Amino acid sequence: MKNYREDILIRLIDHYEGTKFYKGQSSKKPNCSLNLNKEYPKYGNSECFKETNEIEKAIDYLLKRDFIKPGKWFEYRKREVLLNTEEDILENIYQELHRTPEKEVRKQFISDIQEIHSVDFVNNFLVHIVKKTQNYESISKYVSKMDLSEVKDIVDLLEHLYQQKTEIMLRKFSQSVIHDTKKFNVYKTRILHVVQDFYNPFIENENQMLECFNILKNPTCIHIKGDMEFKIHDQRIDLKKVDHEFVFTKNHLESLEILNVHNKRVMTVENLTSYYSVEPKDTLVIYLGGYHNRQERKFLLQLYDFLKDSVVYDHFGDIDAGGFYIYFDLINKTNMPFHTYKMDVETLKEYQEYAKPLTNRDIHNLKLLNQQYHLSVIQYMLDHKIKLEQEIIDVV
């Protein structure tokens, strides 16, 4: 049988701790009431005499201890009760429940978090959840509850991600660095939210987050197509003789020697579907798969070292905040003279009927980009509140 004494007090105290008075946001004392018939449907039911009798015994006990008071109606089998909110009574109730008041839990949680020190963006995250906790705002986006051990786990994982400077497979990272493959999976969504809000707002999903921190789910493969000749392990390969397509692995790249490139343009493509559909003339097409990684950057720089400025360098991606951030990340990390390809106002206008509406995050991120780069296409997206996926765009 349920412990109705405890259950009634827990419901009333939960109500009390959720009030503006308890949070210091109002000076008016609340009336925390409990409608027994509503909370316990069996109460007062003639077929549930045993449950009704147990609830009556609990009410008698709580009344004698002054924990509760009669409500607006207090007839047998039709009762409303009120929490006694006198300070000394509340103290006795907490003792009865062996419960620590939420204010004290919150205060200790804040104090413990303030003792944690980490890298800059993690510190900003910690300051944020302290402020949220002080203001009685939800922190469930980042941690499931006020649990210091969970915060420490998330901080530990974030620090290991941030410190991972060389590429590593996800499984190996989990085993060798955090010694627990399940821990990362438990927290990955919360970690993604921290990374998006305090490190890089343009990261859209878990895969991009892992790429950003040099964690690979699968071995790096670089898809290329065009007119190119090269050697791998002293074997000469001519793309014209293998249907103009090839896939490099990490081992290939370590022994790659570029011999000739018979194209007038090099184009990197963000999306695999678009990579397969792109058939522009005189172009060496390279699939990046979003944010480029260390191996892809090594290949691009080797290509640039061979070609210098004898060709045009283009990047083709989504016309949205993420697409442009990937483009600028490509330029900043390679220092190569990439231009955007079909990522302009004219393309947006041409395919506007296929555009998608901007989310609040899209708007926020586009404004950040616009402050730095002032592109007309970004302003157009903001003005018309639209974005476009590159798969929609025809490339000939």
Side-chain angles (χ1 to χ4, degrees):
M1 183 69 69
K2 181 182 288 189
N3 184 339
Y4 286 104
R5 290 183 190 178
E6 182 178 285
D7 194 68
I8 289 169
L9 286 180
I10 288 173
R11 290 171 187 257
L12 287 168
I13 288 294
D14 284 348
H15 183 183
Y16 176 66
E17 290 185 340
T19 63
K20 290 184 178 181
F21 175 81
Y22 186 81
K23 298 174 182 177
Q25 298 166 353
S26 172
S27 59
K28 184 179 179 181
K29 265 198 170 186
N31 284 325
C32 299
S33 63
L34 194 70
N35 184 328
L36 299 180
N37 302 82
K38 182 178 179 181
E39 297 297 326
Y40 307 109
K42 291 183 178 180
Y43 176 69
N45 189 324
S46 59
E47 296 179 0
C48 304
F49 175 77
K50 189 174 182 180
E51 286 82 358
T52 299
N53 192 45
E54 288 296 319
I55 292 172
E56 285 295 314
K57 286 180 181 178
I59 294 300
D60 286 342
Y61 172 83
L62 297 175
L63 285 169
K64 288 175 182 177
R65 294 292 306 274
D66 286 332
F67 290 165
I68 62 172
K69 301 175 183 179
K72 289 183 291 185
W73 62 87
F74 203 67
E75 302 172 8
Y76 176 61
R77 295 188 176 183
K78 186 180 180 183
R79 298 199 188 283
E80 179 192 56
V81 295
L82 300 174
L83 178 68
N84 188 340
T85 56
E86 298 299 324
E87 285 189 19
D88 56 336
I89 299 297
L90 286 170
E91 187 176 335
N92 291 335
I93 291 174
Y94 280 109
Q95 290 177 358
E96 177 86 8
L97 292 173
H98 304 289
R99 171 169 169 165
T100 304
E102 193 197 7
K103 280 182 181 177
E104 295 180 23
V105 173
R106 200 169 285 266
K107 183 178 179 181
Q108 185 62 52
F109 180 67
I110 290 170
S111 176
D112 289 338
I113 289 179
Q114 289 174 329
E115 293 298 315
I116 303 173
H117 302 286
S118 185
V119 295
D120 285 347
F121 84 95
V122 180
N123 285 333
N124 292 339
F125 153 66
L126 294 172
V127 168
H128 181 74
I129 61 173
V130 164
K131 185 176 179 180
K132 286 270 190 184
T133 305
Q134 289 171 333
N135 294 335
Y136 286 84
E137 297 173 4
S138 173
I139 58 173
S140 61
K141 181 179 180 181
Y142 310 110
V143 290
S144 61
K145 54 187 176 180
M146 288 186 290
D147 183 344
L148 183 64
S149 64
E150 184 175 328
V151 174
K152 286 183 175 180
D153 280 347
I154 290 172
V155 168
D156 182 51
L157 288 166
L158 286 165
E159 287 178 347
H160 278 108
L161 285 172
Y162 183 73
Q163 292 162 4
Q164 186 62 44
K165 301 304 180 185
T166 58
E167 288 183 355
I168 187 172
M169 299 302 296
L170 177 58
R171 181 172 293 182
K172 187 175 181 181
F173 171 81
S174 298
Q175 290 174 344
S176 64
V177 179
I178 58 179
H179 313 293
D180 188 341
T181 56
K182 293 181 180 179
K183 186 187 286 187
F184 184 83
N185 286 331
V186 168
Y187 294 130
K188 63 183 179 181
T189 300
R190 302 184 188 282
I191 289 171
L192 174 61
H193 289 153
V194 176
V195 170
Q196 287 175 326
D197 292 347
F198 301 95
Y199 184 75
N200 184 342
F202 301 98
I203 288 175
E204 296 178 351
N205 52 51
E206 178 196 341
N207 288 337
Q208 289 186 356
M209 174 183 72
L210 293 174
E211 290 170 6
C212 179
F213 292 113
N214 297 304
I215 313 295
L216 306 177
K217 280 190 172 181
N218 299 298
T220 297
C221 289
I222 301 175
H223 296 68
I224 65 168
K225 57 183 180 179
D227 192 351
M228 178 178 174
E229 297 170 48
F230 52 88
K231 279 186 180 180
I232 295 175
H233 302 300
D234 294 324
Q235 296 296 310
R236 186 183 181 100
I237 297 172
D238 185 345
L239 285 187
K240 286 190 296 184
K241 297 179 180 179
V242 289
D243 298 324
H244 294 275
E245 291 195 35
F246 194 82
V247 178
F248 290 110
T249 66
K250 181 179 179 181
N251 289 336
H252 290 156
L253 294 173
E254 289 173 355
S255 67
L256 175 66
E257 179 186 352
I258 299 172
L259 301 175
N260 281 302
V261 177
H262 303 289
N263 298 117
K264 297 178 181 178
R265 174 169 56 180
V266 171
M267 178 189 290
T268 54
V269 179
E270 178 184 338
N271 182 279
L272 187 58
T273 300
S274 295
Y275 165 80
Y276 283 119
S277 65
V278 169
E279 293 291 348
K281 295 179 180 179
D282 294 326
T283 302
L284 183 69
V285 185
I286 304 162
Y287 166 60
L288 287 185
Y291 291 90
H292 73 282
N293 58 38
R294 181 171 168 270
Q295 292 298 327
E296 290 165 336
R297 181 161 63 252
K298 180 180 178 182
F299 172 69
L300 289 171
L301 290 174
Q302 186 174 351
L303 197 60
Y304 185 60
D305 187 56
F306 181 83
L307 293 169
K308 302 297 184 186
D309 294 326
S310 64
V311 299
V312 173
Y313 298 90
D314 282 337
H315 174 73
F316 178 39
D318 291 332
I319 308 180
D320 62 11
F324 277 98
Y325 189 83
I326 287 169
Y327 165 67
F328 289 118
D329 182 67
L330 183 62
I331 292 175
N332 292 335
K333 290 180 179 175
T334 64
N335 288 315
M336 292 172 63
F338 280 102
H339 307 280
T340 57
Y341 180 81
K342 290 199 175 256
M343 296 173 68
D344 51 25
V345 173
E346 289 72 24
T347 305
L348 261 181
K349 288 179 178 179
E350 182 180 353
Y351 295 91
Q352 191 154 332
E353 63 181 298
Y354 303 105
K356 292 184 177 181
L358 297 180
T359 65
N360 289 335
R361 176 177 285 277
D362 290 331
I363 293 170
H364 172 75
N365 290 343
L366 284 169
K367 286 181 178 178
L368 288 179
L369 283 170
N370 212 24
Q371 289 173 7
Q372 187 170 358
Y373 298 107
H374 309 291
L375 297 182
S376 59
V377 64
I378 293 177
Q379 189 60 54
Y380 188 90
M381 280 189 277
L382 286 169
D383 291 342
H384 294 81
K385 293 183 171 52
I386 58 171
K387 59 184 178 180
L388 187 68
E389 294 179 347
Q390 69 173 141
E391 297 95 319
I392 302 295
I393 302 167
D394 296 322
V395 180
V396 291

